[in-house]
Amino acid sequence: MKLYRALLHLYPSSYRTEYGAEMTGIFAQEVRLRSTVLGRLWLWVETFLEVLSNAAAVHRQIARRDLRYSLRSLLRSPGFTATAVLLVTIGIGANAAIFNLADFVLVRPLPFPEPERLVKVYEKHPGYSMMELSPANYRDFIVSTSSFESLAAYTDIDMNLLGQGEPLRVEGAIVTGNLFSTLGRSPWIGRYFAERDDQAGAPATVMLSYGFWQTEFGGDASVVGKSIILDDRAYTVVGVMPPDFHFPTRETKFWRTFQFQEENYKDRNDNWIIGIGRLKPGISIDQARTGLQLIAKRLQQQYPKENENVGATVLSMRDELSKQSRWLLFALVGAAVCLLVITCANLANLLLVRAIARQKELSIRVSLGANRRTILRQLLSESVILGLAGGLGAVGVAAATLPLLARLVPTALPTQEVPPVDFRLLILALGLTAITVIAFGVAPAIRVCRNAGLSGLREGTRTGGSGSQRVRSALVIAEVAVSVVLLISSGLLVRAMWKVQETDPGFRGENVLTLRTALPLPKYEKTDVRKQFYTKVLRDVRRLPGVVNAAYISALPMVWRGGIWPVVIGGRSQNRSEGTSASLRYVTPDFFATMGIPILSGRDVSEADTNAKPYVAVVSESFVRRYWPDESPIGRHFEFAAHDREVAGVVKDVRVRGLERASEPQVYIPYTQVPDGWIIGYIPKDLAIHANRPPQYLVPQVRRIIGEADPQQPISDVRTMDEIVAGETQSRAVQTRVLMTFTAVAVFLAALGIYGLLSFTVSLREQEFGIRMALGAQQGDIFRMVLSKGAVLTLSGLIPGWLLAYMSGRWLQSLLAGLKPWDILMFSVASALCFAAASIGTLIPAMRAVRVDPTSVMKAE
Amino acid sequence: MHIIWHMSEGPSAESLLPLQPTTFHILLSLAEEDRHGYAIILDVARRTGGKIRLSAGTLYRSIQRMLELGLIIETKSRPIPEMDDERRRYYRITPLGTAVAKAEVNRLSSLVKMARACGVTPRTT
């Protein structure tokens, strides 16, 4: 029988206590009825299986009953239930969304086979840690390196798609024939490029992205083998890449191959392609970097003039993400964790109060014979229901907010734009919920069960002993501290954003419309042909009502951040270690007037500056400061973009590389002083129009004018200069908005925490207040007592909060745009806000304490 | 001690149909007289010619459920002392239990009627 009794332990203990003895009795009778050994053996087998299945069924039955019971009990206090579920939803939802985003951007492997072996290869120049490669150096790297299984290269290109209805400007990439095999992805249909496709003289071929294939070719598979027209040239479509293939960016819609000629290898200073390689198995990034650096050193010796101080660097494809993108995300993760701490603390407080408030009810149940385990189980199942409901809400919140957070996914990441909600998010939400709810549901449950004896029944028993009060005070202090950290950090980030927004870009932003008409080659190879186009467009645009001025430039500042060229002064060979590059732009006359860039001395470029005249240039202030700090620059000569140029004018600096990065000095060259077919990457393509009112109304008319100048010329990137500048701080803006929301919720929850704790304290001490008042205490004394308790709690939270905020500020330094992490203003404002919120939380319970009627309290006693 | 929170608004007889065979047999057994667990097992076995022999686990799981649903109660009245086994608990069918058993019989007999109307009748030997 011992064995049978042991077997009965599979049943829940309450069930065993109830029926165990009788079941054992019946089993004994059954054993007596079986006389043979085989019969008894068979009975044991039957019994074993029967106990297994029945015990499982009883457990299920009890769990169902507990859940039903808990559900009813929760529905009886809808306020508590809604608050708790909301807390879990907010805390876990925000965390799940932010973690999913961070995981997507920072951790999740890129969608290529063995992505850890994929690396980017750059040259390293003084002042530039990542410089594009020149085709010549790329070729030498390939020949000499032994670290790579394959080393491919690419560069971005925009081309005009013709013959598919409206002419369309599309972003694409020029790649080496081995790019797709290096990345290791197969085409969706057709084939991908082979090495033969990038040989000089090979037929022109193109591959399409899945999205482009769908939108422009209706997903028609027969497009493979057909020709499409890009920039006046026919390309045969050889394949379509799969839907989840994005390279180098999400915007890339097609790929065509380089067909390097011998002349492309002549200039080692012409840096415009990016290397992407697959490391040989077992080769680390460091090994590959060291290897390439050795090769670069050898090239320095071989080409001492062109390759002076030119090194090489190799970095993991994942690590290419900008430091700022990373820190923006880290800051959000930190804020989400803070929010989680606050919601957990609030939830814990809520569950504790409920447990204490129910102590009497539970004591009655225990004294009537209820099993303590049953009560514990029911309390736990309440927590599970709250957690599940909150967890479900959290997944909803996360799924709904992910698309909003998608702006924080850097465009440079070769992945899709909106992070998918994957099952790991679900597991994460469930895991976080389980930890929160079990940690803060079990502790109070155990505590209540321990106390739930007759003690709870004693008349006039005041529950919520000093131990529990201390725990609850500690939780509230933690909430205040974390709120202060969030307030100060997000305040600092908001101020940093304002500071960046206030940065003077050096040009006019308002009422300037910009758009791109990238002229295709070879149609516009000749300078004169281009001039006709620009002249007609600018003349007609300037005639439009409200237009003040208009001009063309190679590319607008902040739109194209690169485009630099080495400067040679007085025939002195360039010394790269001095950082002698300047940004190169071709402009039409009146560009400076259109953009509001003041001409400080000399003159603007003019239509008279033709190829037949001496080459001139307009340079920026910083250019003058660098080369002729104490002399008049007008009339001086320098060598730039392969020609000698005379300084004709000096203008103010503009922020070419964006609001947060220093820019090289700028050199502007007349659009007419360039030999035919020369440096085609710099052909003016961005049109800027200054109007005397918000310029959006001009778009249809400008489209018409360009259509008249060249019906096959597509227009793209229509936006105002203000939008371009705002784009500079867009990810900061999204981040600060998310942070502000988190902070607002956090401060609200902290105030709620203080309110909850003090209300509870007041209700516990009503009797004491009553007696004090009966003994002559004034209402003001009681009021001050409660207020000072609130103030002590807030102050105790403020001090660790300041310390943590300082630490987090130092950690965020790279995002603070020069602000100090111990910004006194921010600390004071945050503390004052926190104090104000806490005071609101304190006032209501304090007023209640004052209203305690001594007579009724004494009577109740 | 069970917390029976649904006693006030008990279920209707029809809402509990169809009954599980074990539940039905226990109700039939208790319809005759109050019985303890082992007596129920023996009675069901006798009534079914030994075809159904309830195990202790199945019996008490059903009893627990039937107690919760209010189909049976534990009775305090005991048989005459010489027949009584003090260790054992006796169960009695409630009016709801009787109603449910009757409703189940009605359900079964109308099923049989329906089957007969369709010509599906068991061959009698």
Side-chain angles (χ1 to χ4, degrees):
Chain A
M1 276 314 102
K2 266 188 192 154
L3 186 59
Y4 185 76
R5 275 192 210 105
L7 205 55
L8 288 183
H9 274 88
L10 288 174
Y11 283 100
S13 73
S14 57
Y15 186 87
R16 212 168 48 240
T17 319
E18 193 78 12
Y19 303 110
E22 286 190 63
M23 287 169 77
T24 314
I26 291 175
F27 183 70
Q29 299 263 24
E30 293 287 332
V31 173
R32 273 199 291 278
L33 286 178
R34 317 282 162 112
S35 48
T36 63
V37 176
L38 205 64
R40 287 188 178 178
L41 199 66
W42 185 240
L43 176 69
W44 271 108
V45 172
E46 269 183 343
T47 306
F48 182 71
L49 294 175
E50 174 262 319
V51 168
L52 274 189
S53 83
N54 274 314
V58 171
H59 277 292
R60 259 200 319 273
Q61 209 169 312
I62 287 180
R64 254 207 312 270
R65 200 179 53 204
D66 284 347
L67 281 179
R68 243 186 347 238
Y69 175 83
S70 307
L71 204 61
R72 282 177 181 234
S73 133
L74 285 175
L75 289 179
R76 268 200 302 269
S77 23
F80 160 79
T81 310
T83 315
V85 170
L86 198 70
L87 279 174
V88 179
T89 301
I90 293 172
I92 310 283
N95 272 273
I98 298 292
F99 283 149
N100 195 61
L101 180 75
D103 169 62
F104 179 72
V105 176
L106 303 173
V107 185
R108 215 172 292 178
L110 294 170
F112 306 105
E114 298 183 74
E116 66 287 348
R117 283 169 56 204
L118 287 176
V119 293
K120 292 261 181 105
V121 176
Y122 290 94
E123 286 181 18
K124 219 170 155 178
H125 292 205
Y128 301 94
S129 58
M130 283 157 61
M131 173 71 101
E132 285 89 343
L133 309 173
S134 66
N137 285 340
Y138 165 65
R139 186 171 63 176
D140 286 336
F141 286 158
I142 293 187
V143 173
S144 316
T145 182
S146 56
S147 314
F148 295 89
E149 205 168 82
S150 63
L151 182 55
Y154 70 91
T155 192
D156 301 326
I157 189 172
D158 290 1
M159 291 180 91
N160 298 343
L161 174 74
L162 304 173
Q164 298 289 127
E166 279 263 304
L168 194 68
R169 188 76 191 154
V170 281
E171 290 178 40
I174 321 182
V175 304
T176 51
N178 61 348
L179 179 97
F180 293 95
S181 56
T182 303
L183 291 175
R185 293 294 303 268
S186 308
W188 183 255
I189 52 169
R191 66 168 178 95
Y192 57 51
F193 294 135
E195 307 254 351
R196 64 171 186 276
D197 288 303
D198 69 8
Q199 302 305 309
T205 48
V206 68
M207 296 194 58
L208 309 178
S209 80
Y210 182 88
F212 188 49
W213 176 55
Q214 288 292 329
T215 52
E216 290 308 311
F217 303 95
D220 178 8
S222 72
V223 75
V224 174
K226 288 189 182 149
S227 285
I228 62 170
I229 310 288
L230 289 168
D231 274 10
D232 293 338
R233 188 173 173 193
Y235 290 82
T236 309
V237 178
V238 295
V240 175
M241 286 308 284
D244 63 337
F245 180 86
H246 307 275
F247 186 88
T249 72
R250 290 196 289 272
E251 312 301 332
T252 310
K253 296 189 173 65
F254 69 88
W255 299 268
R256 70 175 182 81
T257 53
F258 290 117
Q259 291 180 352
F260 289 131
Q261 315 277 340
E262 221 18 69
E263 64 182 283
N264 293 114
Y265 295 117
K266 277 187 187 150
D267 188 354
R268 283 182 190 267
N269 284 321
D270 195 4
N271 303 85
W272 58 286
I273 62 175
I274 299 170
I276 172 145
R278 182 170 284 276
L279 297 176
K280 281 185 180 159
I283 298 281
S284 73
I285 292 180
D286 283 338
Q287 284 169 317
R289 192 179 297 131
T290 316
L292 273 194
Q293 274 162 354
L294 282 175
I295 299 171
K297 245 202 182 92
R298 213 194 59 220
L299 291 174
Q300 281 182 25
Q301 290 159 358
Q302 220 168 328
Y303 308 98
K305 188 176 171 215
E306 296 161 286
N307 270 29
E308 190 184 3
N309 285 322
V310 172
T313 189
V314 174
L315 44 124
S316 143
M317 208 161 141
R318 171 63 89 185
D319 289 344
E320 217 197 357
L321 223 56
S322 80
K323 208 173 161 190
Q324 196 181 28
S325 307
R326 253 167 231 281
W327 281 101
L328 280 172
L329 275 174
F330 286 150
L332 282 184
V333 169
V337 171
C338 285
L339 196 62
L340 185 67
V341 169
I342 292 191
T343 44
C344 283
N346 243 325
L347 192 66
N349 251 335
L350 205 64
L351 290 168
L352 262 173
V353 170
R354 180 170 159 87
I356 292 165
R358 286 171 77 188
Q359 199 158 334
K360 201 161 194 169
E361 169 210 332
L362 298 176
S363 301
I364 293 173
R365 280 175 60 185
V366 169
S367 66
L368 288 178
N371 190 326
R372 279 174 203 223
R373 275 190 197 202
T374 311
I375 294 179
L376 186 64
R377 237 180 23 230
Q378 282 164 355
L379 289 176
L380 263 183
S381 60
E382 270 182 28
S383 297
V384 169
I385 293 175
L386 290 178
L388 275 181
L392 220 64
V395 171
V397 165
T401 47
L402 271 180
L404 305 178
L405 295 174
R407 283 185 188 183
L408 291 172
V409 179
T411 41
L413 204 64
T415 48
Q416 66 200 84
E417 186 174 9
V418 180
V421 181
D422 66 5
F423 73 98
R424 286 184 299 177
L425 170 67
L426 205 73
I427 291 175
L428 184 76
L430 282 179
L432 287 174
T433 313
I435 293 169
T436 311
V437 152
I438 291 174
F440 297 109
V442 173
I446 290 174
R447 192 185 173 79
V448 167
C449 278
R450 222 180 28 227
N451 292 348
L454 283 172
S455 67
L457 277 175
R458 279 200 303 271
E459 195 57 36
T461 297
R462 295 291 175 207
T463 44
S466 62
S468 140
Q469 280 288 70
R470 267 200 302 278
V471 173
R472 304 195 58 225
S473 300
L475 286 171
V476 168
I477 290 170
E479 284 180 43
V480 174
V482 175
S483 306
V484 173
V485 175
L486 274 178
L487 266 171
I488 294 178
S489 308
S490 58
L492 280 174
L493 287 170
V494 170
R495 281 197 60 202
M497 184 180 72
W498 287 344
K499 199 175 163 196
V500 173
Q501 280 170 345
E502 279 165 13
T503 310
D504 177 14
F507 52 80
R508 173 190 296 124
E510 69 278 10
N511 297 346
V512 176
L513 180 72
T514 76
L515 54 86
R516 176 163 289 189
T517 54
L519 302 179
L521 299 174
K523 186 176 174 182
Y524 286 101
E525 213 167 31
K526 289 198 163 37
T527 311
D528 275 344
V529 180
R530 288 202 297 272
K531 184 179 173 183
Q532 283 168 19
F533 175 85
Y534 298 134
T535 310
K536 179 168 173 17
V537 169
L538 290 175
R539 184 195 63 213
D540 293 350
V541 166
R542 287 187 186 125
R543 281 184 191 152
L544 290 175
V547 170
V548 181
N549 220 329
Y552 261 101
I553 181 171
S554 305
L556 287 160
M558 295 181 192
V559 171
W560 187 29
R561 292 155 200 264
I564 55 171
W565 202 279
V567 179
V568 182
I569 304 279
R572 183 159 50 102
S573 73
Q574 47 197 313
N575 180 359
R576 282 180 186 271
S577 61
E578 285 173 14
T580 53
S581 293
S583 106
L584 161 62
R585 297 290 184 269
Y586 283 90
V587 291
T588 63
D590 282 343
F591 172 74
F592 306 113
T594 306
M595 295 292 289
I597 303 169
I599 298 178
L600 302 172
S601 62
R603 64 167 175 93
D604 189 2
V605 302
S606 91
E607 296 288 353
D609 298 321
T610 60
N611 272 325
K613 296 275 182 64
Y615 277 12
V616 296
V618 172
V619 298
S620 72
E621 240 182 327
S622 55
F623 190 92
V624 176
R625 264 202 309 277
R626 188 193 276 178
Y627 298 109
W628 306 289
D630 303 312
E631 300 157 72
S632 162
I634 306 294
R636 294 194 174 270
H637 285 253
F638 64 104
E639 203 179 305
F640 193 65
H643 288 91
D644 177 69
R645 314 212 174 237
E646 184 186 318
V647 177
V650 179
V651 290
K652 279 203 80 125
D653 278 289
V654 297
R655 293 211 167 236
V656 178
R657 288 197 182 264
L659 295 177
E660 293 191 59
R661 265 190 73 183
S663 300
E664 295 86 358
Q666 296 100 52
V667 175
Y668 303 91
I669 296 177
Y671 77 116
T672 38
Q673 287 194 331
V674 53
D676 291 343
W678 242 82
I679 43 176
I680 46 181
Y682 291 87
I683 290 175
K685 48 183 173 287
D686 283 354
L687 171 61
I689 306 165
H690 177 213
N692 58 11
R693 59 191 111 136
Q696 283 83 352
Y697 74 98
L698 290 168
V699 177
Q701 301 167 66
V702 175
R703 274 185 190 282
R704 181 184 47 76
I705 289 169
I706 289 166
E708 282 165 10
D710 181 348
Q712 292 194 310
Q713 180 55 48
I715 296 165
S716 64
D717 306 271
V718 181
R719 50 202 168 148
T720 63
M721 207 61 223
D722 271 339
E723 284 166 355
I724 292 171
V725 178
E728 284 291 296
T729 46
Q730 184 185 292
S731 50
R732 270 185 183 274
V734 173
Q735 184 219 30
T736 39
R737 238 172 285 153
V738 176
L739 271 180
M740 301 271 270
T741 314
F742 281 11
T743 308
V745 173
V747 173
F748 173 73
L749 289 181
L752 201 70
I754 289 182
Y755 164 76
L757 180 69
L758 292 182
S759 304
F760 191 67
T761 314
V762 167
S763 71
L764 288 183
R765 293 173 65 185
E766 261 182 11
Q767 179 193 18
E768 176 200 328
F769 292 151
I771 294 171
R772 275 173 188 266
M773 277 154 110
L775 292 177
Q778 293 300 304
Q779 283 193 334
D781 301 333
I782 304 289
F783 192 69
R784 268 194 296 280
M785 247 175 81
V786 180
L787 274 193
S788 68
K789 167 107 179 151
V792 167
L793 282 173
T794 316
L795 269 177
S796 321
L798 274 181
I799 293 159
W802 288 334
L803 212 69
L804 287 171
Y806 172 68
M807 279 157 66
S808 98
R810 287 190 54 154
W811 191 63
L812 291 173
Q813 190 109 49
S814 66
L815 289 179
L816 294 185
L819 285 177
K820 297 271 173 284
W822 55 89
D823 189 79
I824 299 294
L825 177 71
M826 228 40 253
F827 272 65
S828 327
V829 170
S831 311
L833 271 175
C834 207
F835 230 95
S839 307
I840 297 171
T842 312
L843 269 180
I844 304 169
M847 313 258 268
R848 195 180 310 150
V850 168
R851 280 201 299 269
V852 166
D853 176 14
T855 352
S856 58
V857 169
M858 302 301 272
K859 258 188 207 154
E861 282 301 305
Chain B
M1 173 89 188
H2 297 289
I3 312 296
I4 304 169
W5 40 264
H6 44 65
M7 282 297 275
S8 51
E9 35 179 301
S12 72
E14 275 71 24
S15 68
L16 297 173
L17 301 188
L19 288 183
Q20 285 181 353
T22 316
T23 311
F24 188 51
H25 281 295
I26 297 172
L27 284 178
L28 291 188
S29 177
L30 293 181
E32 271 179 16
E33 57 176 341
D34 296 352
R35 285 193 162 103
H36 58 68
Y38 192 53
I40 297 174
I41 293 177
L42 293 178
D43 180 58
V44 172
R46 182 184 55 76
R47 199 192 309 277
T48 58
K51 276 188 195 153
I52 296 181
R53 192 169 177 88
L54 299 175
S55 67
T58 309
L59 175 79
Y60 282 105
R61 188 156 73 82
S62 303
I63 283 181
Q64 190 201 26
R65 223 180 105 68
M66 291 164 79
L67 281 168
E68 278 179 18
L69 289 171
L71 300 181
I72 57 174
I73 50 164
E74 203 185 315
T75 171
K76 295 281 173 262
S77 56
R78 318 288 296 191
I80 46 166
E82 50 270 32
M83 302 266 300
D84 188 16
D85 185 341
E86 278 180 9
R87 290 169 310 170
R88 288 180 164 155
R89 297 188 207 179
Y90 284 74
Y91 299 100
R92 172 178 294 171
I93 193 164
T94 61
L96 174 67
T98 313
V100 167
K102 281 182 180 161
E104 178 71 355
V105 171
N106 278 339
R107 188 183 71 87
L108 291 173
S109 57
S110 65
L111 269 181
V112 172
K113 260 188 220 156
M114 248 187 282
R116 286 220 170 97
C118 298
V120 184
T121 42
R123 209 169 279 153
T124 46
T125 46

